[in-house]
């Protein structure tokens, strides 16, 4: 009886391992997501655009760099943050025409 339980357990385990190997081998490639290091670099631009001790024009350039990086990696939530930040900074400068996105 014990021998049967041990054999069935190993059979069950080997089937599971084979199933996982097959799933991994034949699964579609994951969509390329930017690495954490790349996201850290563009998040640094976002934090610089929020720094009040920097002039508005320079903060606007940092927001633009952040937005370009977000668009490069096609991250919708980051694009939204970049657009909101850039709009706020353009409003602070008084450049209302460029704050409106067509």
């Amino acid at each position: 009886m014990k021998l049967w339980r041990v054999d069935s357990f190993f059979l069950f385990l080997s089937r599971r391992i084979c199933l996982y190997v097959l799933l991994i081998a034949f699964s579609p490639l994951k969509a390329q997501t930017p690495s954490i290091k790349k996201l850290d670099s563009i998040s640094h631009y976002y934090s610089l655009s929020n720094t009040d001790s920097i002039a508005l024009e320079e903060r606007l350039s940092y927001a633009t760099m952040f937005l370009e990086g977000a668009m490069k990696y096609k991250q919708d939530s980051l694009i939204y943050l970049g657009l909101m930040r850039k709009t706020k900074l353009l409003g602070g400068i008084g450049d209302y025409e460029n704050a409106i996105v067509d």
Side-chain angles (χ1 to χ4, degrees), residues 27-95:
S27 66
L29 296 175
K30 292 182 181 178
Q32 288 185 344
T33 56
S35 67
I36 293 173
K37 190 174 185 179
K38 290 178 183 176
L39 287 178
D40 280 346
S41 66
I42 64 171
S43 68
H44 181 69
Y45 291 134
Y46 185 78
S47 65
L48 286 173
S49 73
N50 278 331
T51 306
D52 291 332
S53 61
I54 300 174
L56 283 176
E57 289 81 11
E58 191 174 352
R59 289 167 56 191
L60 181 61
S61 69
Y62 288 129
T64 302
M65 286 187 265
F66 171 79
L67 187 56
E68 288 171 356
M71 287 183 177
K72 179 181 176 183
Y73 300 122
K74 299 177 181 166
Q75 298 290 317
D76 293 342
S77 59
L78 297 179
I79 292 170
Y80 175 75
L81 282 176
L83 287 172
M84 293 296 293
R85 188 74 198 137
K86 191 171 179 180
T87 301
K88 183 176 180 182
L89 291 172
L90 286 169
I93 293 172
D95 190 3

Side-chain angles (χ1 to χ4, degrees), residues 9-20:
F9 174 74
F10 283 117
L11 182 63
F12 172 77
L13 188 62
S14 65
R15 285 182 181 170
R16 283 286 188 185
I17 291 172
C18 288
L19 179 64
Y20 286 130

